[in-house]
Amino acid sequence: MNQGPHTMKHLLLLSLLLGYLADAVLSATMEHVRWCVISDKEYKKCSDLAAQAPVFSCVLKLNSMECIDAIKIGTADAITLDGGDIYTAGLEKYQLQPIIAEHHGNSSEGCYYAVAVVKKGSGFGIRDLAGKRSCHTGLGKSAGWNMPIGALLKLGILKWGGLKSQTIEDAVGSFFSSSCAPGADKGSQLCKSCKGDCSKSQNEPFYDYDGAFQCLVEDAGDVAFVNHLTVPDDKEANYELLCPDNTRARIEDYKECHLARVPAHAVVTRKQPKLAELIWKSLSEVQGFDLFSSKAYAPAKNLMFSDSTEMLVQLPSNTTSFLYLGAGYTSIMRSLNKEVAAAGSSALMWCAVGPSEMKKCQSWSIKSMVDGDTKILCQTAPTVEECIRKIMSNEADAMSVDGGEIFIAGQCGLVPAMVEQYDEAKCNTSGASASSYYAVAVVKKNSGITWDGLRGRRSCHTGYGRNAGWNVPMGQIYKETGDCDFTMFFSSGCAPGAPANSPFCSQCAGSGNKTVGNKAKCQPNSEEEYYGYVGAFRCLVEGAGDVAFTKHSVVQENSNGKGPAWASNILSSDYELICPQLSGSAPIGDFKHCHLGAIPAHAVITRPETRDHVVSVLGEQQVKFGRGGNDPSFEMFHSQSDKNLLFKDSTKCLQEVPSGLDYKGFLGQDYMAAMTSLRQCSDTTDLEKLCTFITCQ
């Protein structure tokens, strides 16, 4: 139907009016912080706060889930939640985010410890818990349920075959003779030891930390799953902790004897930056009111915030629930979560970086289909870091990355599952050492240059921020000098990718084509003649630098008649190695004794709970599509257009990383020392900042 000009005008005015009203409503709500509370006592504390600081108002709900719903739809703005509820609030259904974390002082460093408390002298260990009575802070809460039940499953003490056999609640109910886990079904074994209505509220005297401890005190249970701050100082002598190694320890020894480290409670809200800033500003400006005390509302405790909180810490603006909790915690949540377990798939979701990798991944996915069942699915992101985020948030499962990226992923809680092996002879050898290469410093023979005499020289690097060419040598130099300004150490050099006005671009060659040379100069790609392992050596050969930082095999691969045209007259015997270990120099072939560090091969990273699945699926896939595989229609370790797509083309096979080996053990001491040292000098990426902001990862 055609609309006349008057109708259109009225519609435009109506649209403007609605927009104005919406802005007015938003502006009004942005002047207040509506705090969601879940008990009468908490409402009273909140009201007293509001009387002192009128920016706050209070919304009373029955439980935390009702608060999460209210915040999502905009009838409330904020609530402090524990890890289990933070996980739920961050799911796609709610899309809330943590913005402020509690901090409990130096004893916890931004986290707290989940512990199992028992009466002193009761004479049993953690492996003797079957048939005992248990006290939990609440169903789905961190220290009282998620962490202890996850730990019991991991230790093999509690057996659970998954949802096909029974729910996790039923498994726990059968394991203990009786329990109080507020929030469980009232008629179940998990409510048998409760004193009130078994709800996650003050109507249940055994709810929350103090309630679970009181359950133990009153002999309604034999063990209480709480946090390390729960037992009062004057009662510590009467209680002990159960340790994972089946021993006991004193209450004060929680750092050595605990079930897990858990991120502290955090304030969550909608993903609205202005609202988040208002909440932080409003809390920061509270005067004459103790946010972290509930004494005036006894016997209730931990109202609005944990009473043990010493201060609040503002989280980075792009923190998500999954980044805040870390991969270890979210892995346990997923293993206990009904919906995720029920929706589990045998397929592996690979994360491809960019369109070229995605194209190869899609080919792999099609070829992986067996009887209509696809074994490989594909997710994509523009960068490795975005893929790491997707793996953490369960949008993808795995990808292969280099050492520097393993370092970042490890700090975010991901683990190496399989490693690329570049030595075919080791592919069929059980327990063979993983592939690696050495970062070396090459100089011209008889130049008189030693490691201790590098200051003031010109340097050739594979690339700015790359492993062998920058991270490892510069990490070593910073370790020795304590000075992050490397332009004060080297006089000039070529480190492709460095800032254009840096001395580390002055010696670069560009493309060699005079018409476009300046455009390509110091660019971190193959247009720059001095880029990469071979380019750094060429920089030394052609006299643009006095030392080349590259990998150990480059000189021998580009001399004595091997390599490109520019290397045709090069003799490997005209070059030598220098290193911190030796006062002089060493022959080119002596890299195992004279190097700057061993750099590990690329590895497949994943979440802890999917590690075994990744190993299994990739093991099957390389039998079909690996080197000499039984299906030549697709090659995992070969790339058609670009090089090194999904895996390095030099990969001969994938080998399992030993179970339990974390990123630090995988990368090795030399590499970890270099990366940790260099981190003092350069800004870390946003993802790394997020993952290291909270120290519980």
Side-chain angles (χ1 to χ4, degrees):
M1 185 176 75
N2 291 328
Q3 295 172 324
H6 292 294
T7 306
M8 291 297 291
K9 186 176 180 181
H10 289 145
L11 285 172
L12 180 60
L13 287 170
L14 180 60
S15 174
L16 289 170
L17 179 61
L18 289 173
Y20 173 79
L21 289 171
D23 287 343
V25 170
L26 181 61
S27 176
T29 58
M30 286 299 283
E31 293 172 7
H32 287 84
V33 176
R34 297 163 297 175
W35 204 272
C36 201
V37 296
I38 58 173
S39 71
D40 292 336
K41 293 277 191 180
E42 197 166 47
Y43 187 82
K44 178 68 170 70
K45 179 178 178 178
C46 181
S47 299
D48 291 346
L49 169 64
Q52 196 80 20
V55 69
F56 292 100
S57 59
C58 311
V59 178
L60 179 62
K61 296 293 180 182
L62 288 176
N63 52 51
S64 57
M65 281 310 304
E66 285 197 4
C67 282
I68 290 171
D69 275 320
I71 295 169
K72 180 202 171 187
I73 63 174
T75 57
D77 298 316
I79 185 176
T80 307
L81 298 175
D82 93 320
D85 286 331
I86 292 170
Y87 176 87
T88 301
L91 294 174
E92 188 69 24
K93 182 178 179 181
Y94 303 106
Q95 295 188 0
L96 305 185
Q97 69 172 138
I99 59 168
I100 300 164
E102 295 182 349
H103 198 287
H104 301 280
N106 293 331
S107 67
S108 62
E109 300 167 329
C111 353
Y112 60 88
Y113 295 81
V115 295
V117 178
V118 292
K119 289 180 178 176
K120 194 169 186 178
S122 49
F124 59 87
I126 198 168
R127 293 197 169 275
D128 307 312
L129 283 179
K132 298 291 191 291
R133 300 165 301 158
S134 61
C135 305
H136 307 262
T137 59
L139 193 70
K141 291 183 75 68
S142 294
W145 183 267
N146 299 333
M147 294 300 108
I149 301 308
L152 292 176
L153 287 169
K154 186 177 181 180
L155 292 168
I157 297 167
L158 170 63
K159 308 294 183 185
W160 181 44
L163 288 173
K164 291 183 179 178
S165 58
Q166 61 182 159
T167 66
I168 186 63
E169 289 93 336
D170 287 340
V172 176
S174 299
F175 179 77
F176 294 111
S177 60
S178 70
S179 304
C180 180
D185 291 336
K186 289 181 173 58
S188 72
Q189 283 287 100
L190 296 179
C191 285
K192 194 174 176 182
S193 293
C194 288
K195 194 172 184 179
D197 63 1
C198 196
S199 66
K200 286 171 80 171
S201 74
Q202 304 300 327
N203 294 327
E204 172 49 64
F206 293 163
Y207 170 62
D208 212 356
Y209 301 118
D210 294 290
F213 179 60
Q214 194 60 31
C215 166
L216 176 65
V217 171
E218 295 184 15
D219 201 35
D222 302 305
V223 59
F225 297 112
V226 291
N227 75 20
H228 73 284
L229 299 163
T230 302
V231 181
D233 292 345
D234 60 348
K235 294 184 179 179
E236 283 188 357
N238 300 321
Y239 295 90
E240 292 178 311
L241 302 175
L242 298 184
C243 308
D245 64 0
N246 212 39
T247 63
R248 288 188 173 208
R250 300 175 304 167
I251 296 295
E252 57 262 40
D253 294 331
Y254 58 84
K255 286 191 176 181
E256 289 73 43
C257 176
H258 57 264
L259 304 180
R261 291 179 76 196
V262 184
H265 294 192
V267 177
V268 303
T269 189
R270 295 179 296 282
K271 292 181 179 178
Q272 296 175 359
K274 287 184 179 178
L275 176 58
E277 195 56 40
L278 174 66
I279 294 168
W280 169 249
K281 182 172 179 285
S282 301
L283 288 170
S284 301
E285 293 177 352
V286 170
Q287 293 182 346
F289 187 88
D290 192 346
L291 290 171
F292 314 134
S293 174
S294 304
K295 286 181 181 177
Y297 315 95
K301 292 187 176 182
N302 304 315
L303 302 177
M304 297 184 68
F305 298 95
S306 302
D307 293 343
S308 56
T309 304
E310 292 193 8
M311 64 179 181
L312 298 175
V313 179
Q314 187 176 25
L315 299 173
S317 60
N318 48 355
T319 304
T320 65
S321 293
F322 305 110
L323 286 169
Y324 179 73
L325 295 171
Y329 187 96
T330 53
S331 290
I332 289 173
M333 286 301 299
R334 291 190 187 106
S335 69
L336 300 179
N337 185 287
K338 293 180 183 181
E339 293 177 17
V340 173
S345 166
S346 62
L348 184 67
M349 181 70 78
W350 197 266
C351 198
V353 180
S356 295
E357 283 207 348
M358 188 60 173
K359 186 177 179 181
K360 180 178 177 181
C361 187
Q362 288 170 334
S363 298
W364 186 12
S365 179
I366 293 167
K367 295 297 182 181
S368 74
M369 188 176 292
V370 178
D371 298 327
D373 185 16
T374 303
K375 299 296 183 183
I376 300 295
L377 298 173
C378 302
Q379 174 64 274
T380 188
T383 65
V384 170
E385 289 205 358
E386 284 302 312
C387 269
I388 291 173
R389 288 174 187 261
K390 287 182 182 293
I391 294 171
M392 290 184 68
S393 61
N394 206 28
E395 297 174 63
D397 295 320
M399 70 183 303
S400 184
V401 295
D402 74 11
E405 292 149 352
I406 294 167
F407 182 83
I408 294 171
Q411 291 182 100
C412 295
L414 301 184
V415 296
M418 299 195 86
V419 59
E420 296 179 357
Q421 175 61 262
Y422 311 125
D423 184 347
E424 196 161 3
K426 293 181 178 178
C427 280
N428 298 315
T429 306
S430 177
S433 59
S435 287
S436 63
Y437 61 94
Y438 293 95
V440 295
V442 183
V443 296
K444 290 179 178 177
K445 199 166 188 177
N446 301 322
S447 65
I449 298 172
T450 65
W451 180 264
D452 293 332
L454 279 180
R455 186 181 289 273
R457 304 286 184 174
R458 299 166 302 154
S459 55
C460 302
H461 307 262
T462 60
Y464 187 73
R466 290 190 57 174
N467 285 334
W470 187 270
N471 294 341
V472 171
M474 299 313 227
Q476 179 66 35
I477 289 168
Y478 170 76
K479 185 178 174 184
E480 294 173 7
T481 65
D483 188 354
C484 288
D485 187 357
F486 299 121
T487 64
M488 300 300 292
F489 188 86
F490 291 110
S491 61
S492 62
C494 179
N501 60 353
S502 163
F504 288 111
C505 281
S506 63
Q507 298 295 333
C508 292
S511 68
N513 181 337
K514 289 186 171 23
T515 58
V516 296
N518 287 337
K519 290 181 182 177
K521 185 171 181 174
C522 206
Q523 292 301 304
N525 57 49
S526 56
E527 288 295 301
E528 165 58 62
E529 290 183 342
Y530 294 165
Y531 173 71
Y533 299 123
V534 178
F537 178 48
R538 183 177 182 179
C539 167
L540 173 67
V541 169
E542 296 183 352
D546 303 308
V547 59
F549 298 112
T550 185
K551 73 173 179 177
H552 70 274
S553 59
V554 164
V555 176
Q556 290 167 320
E557 291 169 349
N558 294 275
S559 60
N560 306 325
K562 292 185 286 187
W566 64 263
S568 57
N569 296 318
I570 302 300
L571 298 176
S572 62
S573 57
D574 289 337
Y575 296 87
E576 57 191 6
L577 303 177
I578 59 171
C579 56
Q581 301 98 314
L582 302 175
S583 57
S585 60
I588 286 295
D590 201 18
F591 53 83
K592 287 189 178 179
H593 299 105
C594 183
H595 59 259
L596 309 182
I599 297 177
H602 289 206
V604 177
I605 54 167
T606 188
R607 298 180 302 281
E609 86 273 16
T610 49
R611 182 249 176 220
D612 292 348
H613 180 56
V614 168
V615 171
S616 174
V617 172
L618 290 180
E620 294 171 357
Q621 290 297 298
Q622 71 173 344
V623 168
K624 290 180 69 175
F625 304 123
R627 301 275 179 191
N630 52 35
D631 186 346
S633 65
F634 177 77
E635 296 175 277
M636 287 172 65
F637 311 132
H638 176 70
S639 306
Q640 295 286 355
S641 51
D642 297 328
K643 288 197 168 189
N644 304 317
L645 300 178
L646 305 183
F647 304 96
K648 284 184 74 172
D649 292 344
S650 55
T651 303
K652 299 299 187 284
C653 67
L654 296 175
Q655 291 181 309
E656 182 178 353
V657 175
S659 180
L661 189 69
D662 67 2
Y663 79 104
K664 294 178 183 178
F666 177 82
L667 293 173
Q669 288 184 346
D670 286 347
Y671 190 84
M672 282 298 300
M675 291 297 286
T676 303
S677 178
L678 197 59
R679 282 307 186 268
Q680 307 299 316
C681 291
S682 57
D683 282 342
T684 55
T685 63
D686 286 346
L687 179 61
E688 198 173 341
K689 284 175 185 171
L690 283 171
C691 290
T692 54
F693 191 86
I694 303 301
T695 57
C696 301
Q697 303 288 358

